[in-house]
Amino acid sequence: MRILIKDNYRDVSVEAASMVTTTLRQKPGAVLGLATGSTPLGLYEELVRIHRGEGLDFSDVTTFNLDEYLGLTGEHPQSYRSFMDENLFNHINIRKERTHVPDGSLPAGDAEEMCLEFEAAIRRTGGIDLQVLGIGGNGHIAFNEPGSSTSSRTRLVALDERTIKDNARFYSSEDEVPRFALSMGIGTILEAREILLLATGEQKAQAVAAAVEGPVTNQVPSSALQLHPRVTVILDEAAASLLQNASRYRFIQKAEKQVGVQLF
Ligand code: F6R
């Protein structure tokens, strides 16, 4: 794993945007895996800025989002489809038909078929080139909650108590937070060619330390990322504050600049 520790949220977002931009300049038809939530907002803002200011082209790009709440239509203001439209897709020249978010409006009984089709659609594009991830306070990635299998695929999942509490900030009460979601599996995520995990704020410090330096265990779903050969983790100081090897990561970060290569 490549661990980059930045001074603040803005620097995390700028670094992440630079990685996405490099991917798109090398492969204009790249397939991106995208996350929602508070963490990638700065990244999306920066991508919109680069699109407007430097002409970053999304016309050949395809995207797959990690997850969606069950029971919300794409038009619902709290749906992840609305989130992506509002924060990224409406502001860049991406073709909407190439943006994929699991369909949360289907009855639960149709979820299995929809999830199989979602996976098939990823395969038809040739697979995800770069997957952007956030991390839950409980160590989840996408909505793979503690206990999820490392080989899990896109499926219907029940949200964890902590996730429901964490996400209540977007709703008028905790009771309104959906209890189920459709989520890419850990096995699906690990098939991406490259992974970018972003985490900021001290409320993520414990999960980050467990994911990066703890044992690989299904109690910390993000620890499965240690099994992938090309993962970059970009943290702010607060999210990195419980890392035992922080000074070594900083040393490697400097060495990377000196030799001009990425050290995973
Ligand atoms: C969102 C997702 C989640 C979030 C995680 C962190 O698509 O898959 O795993 O990345 O819950 O959320 P924030 O960034 O809001 O702290």
Side-chain angles (χ1 to χ4, degrees):
M1 275 183 168
R2 203 175 151 236
I3 320 281
L4 307 179
I5 303 172
K6 299 283 165 186
D7 286 346
N8 51 47
Y9 178 70
R10 187 174 149 67
D11 290 355
V12 169
S13 304
V14 168
E15 183 72 32
S18 139
M19 276 188 62
V20 174
T21 304
T22 303
T23 300
L24 297 189
R25 295 233 155 100
Q26 282 169 354
K27 186 176 178 185
V31 181
L32 299 178
L34 298 175
T36 57
S38 313
T39 312
L41 280 172
L43 159 65
Y44 297 152
E45 211 175 289
E46 188 60 16
L47 287 177
V48 171
R49 192 195 63 72
I50 299 172
H51 165 69
R52 288 184 179 149
E54 299 166 31
L56 183 63
D57 183 17
F58 290 84
S59 61
D60 276 336
V61 171
T62 300
T63 64
F64 288 91
N65 263 81
L66 288 168
D67 39 23
E68 178 63 282
Y69 289 117
L70 185 74
L72 301 192
T73 64
E75 290 76 46
H76 191 286
Q78 294 302 342
S79 74
Y80 285 170
R81 159 57 71 182
S82 300
F83 176 100
M84 290 310 301
D85 285 348
E86 273 165 34
N87 293 297
L88 184 64
F89 300 151
N90 289 348
H91 311 290
I92 55 176
N93 65 333
I94 197 160
R95 284 150 59 181
K96 278 284 173 73
E97 66 275 18
R98 291 204 181 169
T99 66
H100 304 83
V101 182
D103 184 356
S105 69
L106 296 178
D110 292 346
E112 195 176 337
E113 201 177 321
M114 199 282 296
C115 291
L116 284 172
E117 173 45 33
F118 192 79
E119 295 254 344
I122 295 176
R123 279 196 299 276
R124 280 197 297 272
T125 63
I128 293 173
D129 292 297
L130 179 65
Q131 174 68 60
V132 176
L133 296 175
I135 184 171
N138 63 359
H140 75 206
I141 42 174
F143 278 136
N144 296 288
E145 303 287 24
S148 301
S149 157
T150 309
S151 52
S152 50
R153 312 300 309 185
T154 305
R155 68 206 184 290
L156 179 62
V157 295
L159 301 186
D160 199 60
E161 277 302 301
R162 164 118 193 227
T163 302
I164 292 167
K165 281 199 168 58
D166 285 352
N167 288 353
R169 67 190 194 278
F170 299 113
Y171 292 82
S172 44
S173 83
E174 201 178 300
D175 293 342
E176 284 177 31
V177 184
R179 267 42 186 172
F180 296 91
L182 301 155
S183 175
M184 263 191 218
I186 299 176
T188 321
I189 292 169
L190 291 179
E191 279 169 11
R193 291 185 188 90
E194 182 156 10
I195 295 177
L196 177 56
L197 174 71
L198 308 178
T200 56
E202 65 177 344
Q203 71 284 7
K204 298 292 173 68
Q206 215 172 351
V208 166
V212 171
E213 294 181 335
V216 176
T217 161
N218 68 2
Q219 290 311 301
V220 183
S222 42
S223 66
L225 297 175
Q226 293 178 34
L227 303 172
H228 191 285
R230 278 184 79 85
V231 177
T232 299
V233 181
I234 313 182
L235 307 169
D236 66 358
E237 293 284 349
S241 59
L242 295 179
L243 289 175
Q244 285 180 14
N245 301 310
S247 58
R248 175 160 169 79
Y249 306 138
R250 288 197 177 89
F251 172 78
I252 296 172
Q253 205 171 318
K254 269 197 203 134
E256 275 199 350
K257 284 207 182 106
Q258 280 159 8
V259 286
V261 288
Q262 296 185 345
L263 301 169
F264 285 94

